[in-house]
């Protein structure tokens, strides 16, 4: 097998998504411990944006500098190269939380066993579902009182529209947590709350029918487990890897990240079943990772904290071929050659200069303003990758220039911040007024602050009640479309790529408009297949 092919098969690039506090940081840390990437719990945690800092965006901006280090965490485990992409679970999460999901090949969804499905998980899972990203669910905090497992499965089905396939099943919970039963392996792992800093050692019992079981977990738990296992087998489908890979079923595993229980099993399952880097669609063709020619796309841009240096770090996901340091590559949108003398690779919490990188890897490229989100870099071919859409923001405000003498600076600042993917800009068709749309409300403050400090431009905002931005498919020139465009002209705007967007002011308006103009296609992301 060729080196490139071998490297591709070794890679697992995934994201961990959860509602804040479900245990994503703790789980990430335990995964890193297994990889030997860190030697002590707490290393990642100290990088986490501190809780309670939600209203203090300066603090968040400061910590953003630190969080670059945790944007990608790479380590080796069992001859695999694992790349974990951080999707900030912060309350005021931003565009790049969504965008990071365009660069992962699979996802772990962490659910707090006591709280069940929570709000932010819904939004993130929806994006993954839309993209058919394979997902494994980890139900965490089983060492605390948890909801009934079957109720949790129901929630996953009902609120996240997932199709659960339990791989493991818990025995008790909270103080009465006895362990986990691996259904297809027919083994019980007995829970022991030992030193959480170290790699776990726990007793295994082979076979549910073994006489040791009652002695270990008690007669009642043994009886319950037999019953629960029967129900699982009856109600839920068997695990089939092809269905997992196509996003049709979702393996469920239980554990406690804090107590490092069930985490190794999760990682072992992940490296066994999670996909290696997949082909990526471009506007022209499907690009195979095994192609000799290098290609990749930018999914995230991190601005420097120091306003005097406007250099940024562009995160590039490698799609095909081998990336090499100091080699000229083609920047497709700008139609120019660029080479990189110090591309960064991310290892655990360290960054280092990398000589070569392979599909599935993420590299950080120092940038002085050449890149924007979605840009591609190739060996020469004019590839434009699909699958890096904008999603509808949730908050919208008019942006108002406070100093007409600084109009140029303001426009330049807005332009660059939008290229970074901090927020989205819409321009009203009827009067050219500019609207900023963000995913988290805090982003408005960040933009205001950065415009002033980095570009010397002052702005203010005016509230705008918009429920959702819907991209309009203008290809079908139906009468419906014409009538819609006429009736709603006050609510039509262009996004940064001049795509037409309908700014619906309420859920009601949106569904009413959809009913009235059934032939008009409304899309909640900027990328869609024209019918
Ligand atoms: P997040 O990144 O998803 O926001 O969650 P994080 O890992 O920070 O975990 C949130 C809280 O939940 C932390 O407690 C953490 O210790 C706890 N936690 C995570 N996994 C488990 C688990 O399996 N069992 C139990 N019992 N607790 C868990 P904290 O007190 O808020 O923070 P800290 O003081 O421990 O840092």
């Amino acid at each position: 097998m060729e080196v490139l092919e071998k490297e591709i098969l070794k890679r697992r690039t995934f994201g961990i998504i959860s509602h804040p506090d479900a245990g994503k940081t703790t789980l990430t840390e335990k995964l890193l411990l297994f990889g030997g990437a860190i030697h002590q719990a707490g290393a990642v945690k100290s990088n986490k944006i501190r809780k309670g800092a939600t209203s203090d965006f300066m603090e968040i901006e400061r910590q953003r500098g630190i969080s670059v280090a945790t944007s990608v965490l790479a380590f080796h485990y069992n001859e695999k190269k694992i790349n974990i992409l951080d999707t900030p679970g912060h309350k005021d999460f931003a565009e790049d939380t969504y965008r990071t999901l365009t660069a992962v090949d699979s996802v772990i969804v962490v659910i707090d066993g006591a709280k069940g499905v929570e709000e932010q998980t819904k939004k993130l899972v929806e994006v993954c579902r839309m993209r058919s990203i394979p997902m494994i669910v980890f139900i965490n905090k089983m060492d605390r009182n948890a909801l009934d497992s079957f109720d949790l499965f129901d929630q996953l089905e009902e609120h996240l529209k997932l199709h659960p396939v339990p791989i493991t099943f818990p025995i008790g919970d909270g103080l009465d947590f006895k362990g986990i039963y691996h259904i297809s392996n027919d083994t019980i792992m007995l829970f022991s709350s030992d030193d959480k800093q170290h790699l776990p050692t726990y007793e295994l019992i082979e076979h549910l029918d073994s006489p040791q079981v009652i002695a270990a977990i008690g007669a009642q738990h043994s009886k319950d487990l037999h019953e629960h296992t029967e129900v699982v087998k009856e109600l839920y489908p068997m695990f089939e890897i092809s269905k997992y890979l196509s996003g049709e079923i979702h393996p469920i595993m239980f554990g406690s990240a804090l107590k490092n229980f069930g985490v190794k099993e999760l990682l072992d399952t992940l490296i066994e079943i999670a996909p290696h880097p997949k082909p990526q669609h471009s506007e022209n063709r499907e690009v195979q990772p095994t192609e000799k020619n290098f290609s990749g796309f930018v999914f995230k841009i991190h601005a420097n904290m120091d306003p005097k240096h406007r250099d940024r770090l562009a995160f590039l996901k490698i799609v095909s071929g081998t990336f090499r340091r100091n080699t000229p590559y083609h920047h497709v949108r700008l139609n120019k050659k660029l080479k990189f003398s110090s591309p960064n690779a991310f290892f655990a919490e360290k960054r280092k200069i990398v000589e070569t990188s392979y599909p599935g890897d993420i590299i950080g490229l120092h940038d002085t303003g050449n890149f924007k989100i979605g840009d591609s870099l190739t060996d020469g071919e004019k590839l434009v990758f699909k699958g890096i859409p904008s999603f509808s923001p949730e908050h919208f405000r008019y942006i108002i220039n406070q100093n007409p003498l600084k109009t140029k600076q303001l426009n330049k600042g807005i332009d660059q911040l939008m290229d970074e993917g901090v927020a989205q800009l819409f321009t009203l068709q009827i009067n050219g007024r500019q609207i900023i749309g963000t995913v988290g409300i805090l982003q408005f403050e960040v933009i205001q602050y950065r415009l002033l400090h980095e570009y010397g431009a002052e702005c203010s905002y005016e509230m705008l009640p918009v429920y959702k931005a819907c991209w309009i498919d203008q290809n079908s020139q139906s009468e419906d479309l014409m009538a819609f465009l006429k009736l709603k002209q006050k609510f039509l705007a262009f996004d940064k790529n001049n795509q037409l967007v309908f700014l619906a002011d309420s859920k009601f308006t949106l569904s009413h408009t959809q009913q009235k103009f059934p032939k008009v296609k409304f899309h909640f992301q900027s990328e869609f297949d024209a019918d």
Side-chain angles (χ1 to χ4, degrees):
M1 218 192 292
E2 291 202 25
V3 175
L4 177 60
E5 207 173 319
K6 262 196 205 154
E7 293 293 337
I8 292 167
L9 294 177
K10 261 166 83 170
R11 274 159 176 77
R12 301 287 183 275
T13 301
F14 62 93
I16 306 180
I17 60 180
S18 71
H19 191 83
D21 272 354
K24 186 165 70 81
T25 314
T26 313
L27 177 65
T28 307
E29 202 160 80
K30 296 295 146 74
L31 294 173
L32 291 175
L33 278 174
F34 286 112
I38 54 170
H39 299 288
Q40 191 188 346
V44 178
K45 194 113 196 166
S46 58
N47 284 347
K48 193 178 141 163
I49 291 175
R50 249 191 280 124
K51 284 172 212 144
T54 49
S55 56
D56 183 359
F57 80 93
M58 278 301 293
E59 175 64 12
I60 291 175
E61 283 288 277
R62 194 185 68 73
Q63 300 220 9
R64 255 167 23 107
I66 304 168
S67 71
V68 171
T70 57
S71 290
V72 184
L73 296 161
F75 61 94
H76 292 275
Y77 176 75
N78 273 3
E79 295 176 10
K80 295 280 186 288
K81 163 102 188 277
I82 314 276
N83 295 311
I84 305 181
L85 271 57
D86 189 27
T87 51
H90 197 257
K91 179 170 160 285
D92 281 294
F93 75 151
E95 286 273 312
D96 60 16
T97 312
Y98 281 141
R99 203 91 60 173
T100 297
L101 296 176
T102 65
V104 301
D105 296 309
S106 71
V107 147
I108 298 176
V109 183
V110 183
I111 304 276
D112 181 331
K115 296 198 176 134
V117 172
E118 295 173 272
E119 204 45 44
Q120 216 156 98
T121 318
K122 277 190 205 165
K123 296 185 200 162
L124 293 166
V125 165
E126 196 179 317
V127 173
C128 295
R129 229 175 354 91
M130 260 166 22
R131 305 173 52 79
S132 304
I133 298 176
M135 291 182 254
I136 298 182
V137 179
F138 183 70
I139 299 184
N140 190 29
K141 303 197 185 181
M142 292 310 296
D143 59 304
R144 290 222 189 128
N145 289 343
L147 298 173
D148 174 79
S149 302
F150 292 104
D151 287 347
L152 284 166
F153 301 156
D154 287 349
Q155 285 194 14
L156 295 174
E157 284 184 285
E158 207 172 301
H159 303 311
L160 300 181
K161 302 191 183 64
L162 298 184
H163 299 288
V165 172
I167 301 291
T168 60
F169 201 89
I171 307 163
D173 60 343
L175 290 175
D176 193 32
F177 184 46
K178 298 291 181 206
I180 278 167
Y181 176 55
H182 193 296
I183 300 170
S184 59
N185 291 358
D186 192 17
T187 47
I188 291 175
M189 293 162 274
L190 292 180
F191 178 62
S192 62
S193 175
D194 60 3
D195 186 354
K196 56 190 175 183
Q197 300 276 331
H198 292 97
L199 298 185
T201 45
Y202 38 70
E203 247 182 272
L204 275 185
I205 304 177
E206 308 273 349
H207 311 305
L208 184 51
D209 293 325
S210 151
Q212 287 168 279
V213 172
I214 291 184
I217 64 173
Q220 187 60 44
H221 277 307
S222 167
K223 181 169 167 281
D224 290 347
L225 185 58
H226 274 93
E227 277 172 23
H228 291 154
T229 313
E230 283 312 305
V231 178
V232 166
K233 287 181 179 159
E234 224 166 87
L235 292 186
Y236 298 92
M238 294 275 285
F239 176 76
E240 276 177 68
I241 190 152
S242 60
K243 287 195 172 164
Y244 154 71
L245 291 174
S246 59
E248 287 165 82
I249 58 165
H250 306 96
I252 315 290
M253 301 187 78
F254 289 82
S256 161
L258 187 69
K259 307 284 180 185
N260 206 348
F261 189 76
V263 178
K264 183 176 181 296
E265 289 64 32
L266 175 70
L267 185 58
D268 287 339
T269 305
L270 187 108
I271 62 167
E272 195 186 320
I273 67 172
H276 51 76
K278 288 277 156 267
Q280 181 95 16
H281 288 284
S282 76
E283 279 178 6
N284 333 50
R285 63 190 187 83
E286 195 177 68
V287 180
Q288 302 294 329
T290 45
E291 290 177 22
K292 286 236 157 36
N293 287 340
F294 157 77
S295 67
F297 65 88
V298 173
F299 65 95
K300 173 171 167 153
I301 293 174
H302 210 292
N304 196 315
M305 287 304 297
D306 183 352
K308 286 185 221 89
H309 302 274
R310 214 166 272 162
D311 73 319
R312 319 187 280 185
L313 198 63
F315 289 77
L316 183 111
K317 164 125 189 234
I318 299 174
V319 174
S320 68
T322 307
F323 173 90
R324 292 194 167 83
R325 184 163 92 98
N326 273 332
T327 306
Y329 289 120
H330 184 64
H331 186 308
V332 175
R333 183 176 52 85
L334 300 180
N335 193 19
K336 76 176 186 189
K337 293 266 180 220
L338 296 176
K339 67 178 179 185
F340 304 91
S341 57
S342 51
N344 281 187
F346 304 85
F347 274 95
E349 72 270 47
K350 287 192 262 331
R351 277 202 255 167
K352 54 183 185 192
I353 290 180
V354 71
E355 294 296 331
T356 47
S357 272
Y358 298 98
D361 284 343
I362 312 298
I363 48 175
L365 303 173
H366 292 282
D367 174 39
T368 46
N370 282 316
F371 285 117
K372 59 182 185 176
I373 306 264
D375 275 348
S376 43
L377 205 60
T378 72
D379 259 335
E381 193 180 347
K382 289 193 175 68
L383 292 172
V384 176
F385 287 107
K386 298 210 306 192
I388 313 128
S390 298
F391 300 97
S392 175
E394 305 198 359
H395 308 279
F396 298 80
R397 290 180 191 175
Y398 284 121
I399 182 160
I400 295 160
N401 186 0
Q402 287 295 348
N403 182 353
L405 297 175
K406 297 281 169 101
T407 305
K408 239 166 98 184
Q409 285 85 337
L410 183 77
N411 287 341
K412 184 173 177 205
I414 294 178
D415 225 41
Q416 294 200 349
L417 294 186
M418 300 304 126
D419 284 353
E420 265 178 39
V422 172
Q424 289 179 61
L425 182 74
F426 301 97
T427 308
L428 273 190
Q429 191 191 35
I430 200 155
N431 57 13
R433 284 192 80 180
Q434 292 188 314
I435 295 163
I436 303 273
T438 68
V439 173
I441 204 124
L442 191 79
Q443 239 54 40
F444 289 112
E445 272 180 74
V446 172
I447 292 167
Q448 204 171 31
Y449 179 87
R450 290 191 56 193
L451 284 174
L452 185 62
H453 289 84
E454 292 172 35
Y455 302 89
E458 262 175 85
C459 76
S460 62
Y461 298 108
E462 191 182 309
M463 292 303 249
L464 182 70
V466 172
Y467 162 68
K468 256 193 170 86
C470 314
W471 279 264
I472 304 296
D473 184 354
Q474 283 186 279
N475 286 310
S476 60
Q477 294 287 328
S478 61
E479 274 178 27
D480 256 23
L481 181 67
M482 296 307 151
F484 161 77
L485 295 179
K486 195 158 170 225
L487 187 74
K488 295 289 179 190
Q489 51 178 316
K490 273 184 11 204
F491 304 94
L492 296 177
F494 294 105
D495 74 359
K496 236 190 143 237
N497 300 318
N498 274 328
Q499 276 184 274
L500 192 68
V501 173
F502 170 48
L503 301 173
D505 60 8
S506 69
K507 200 172 181 171
F508 173 78
T509 309
L510 180 60
S511 65
H512 186 250
T513 312
Q514 281 173 317
Q515 274 169 19
K516 194 161 171 192
F517 303 105
K519 291 210 183 104
V520 180
K521 294 271 181 310
F522 298 85
H523 302 271
F524 300 112
Q525 57 173 50
S526 63
E527 209 172 72
F528 46 83
D529 294 323
D531 318 76

